[in-house]
Amino acid sequence: MEDNRIALLAILVEDLSAAERINGLLHEYGAYIVGRMGIPYHDRGVAIISVVMDAPQSVVSALSGKLGMLEGVNVKTVSQRVRGHEA
């Protein structure tokens, strides 16, 4: 069984028309999402979304990959195995 990791996905959205697809994917992986924050940066015409997950690395990679394949969406992920309580 794969260990869960705490992961932070930094999502930079340049094509705001991708919002519906992004939200659909986030909903699909909602069981693993601890929290999310979206910041519209109107001066630059982009949105920045941070998503915190507690999930196996394969799940984190799957979501990150699906988001990164969307036109106008860039994703960077950092994760760490955390000792202690397992979800």
Side-chain angles (χ1 to χ4, degrees), residues 43-79:
D43 291 349
R44 294 287 196 153
V46 299
I48 301 108
I49 305 168
S50 61
V51 177
V52 177
M53 299 179 72
D54 185 347
Q57 185 62 44
S58 60
V59 173
V60 173
S61 295
L63 175 57
S64 180
K66 289 177 182 179
L67 288 167
M69 289 175 25
L70 297 176
E71 188 71 31
V73 178
N74 189 13
V75 182
K76 299 296 180 195
T77 303
V78 63
S79 67

Side-chain angles (χ1 to χ4, degrees), residues 7-43:
L8 173 64
L9 281 68
I11 307 165
L12 181 63
V13 184
E14 293 181 281
D15 182 355
L16 300 179
S17 69
E20 187 175 339
R21 291 173 296 197
I22 293 168
N23 284 326
L25 286 168
L26 294 178
H27 178 76
E28 182 180 331
Y29 287 84
Y32 299 101
I33 294 176
V34 176
R36 63 187 266 193
M37 176 178 61
I39 302 169
Y41 191 1
H42 299 293
D43 291 349

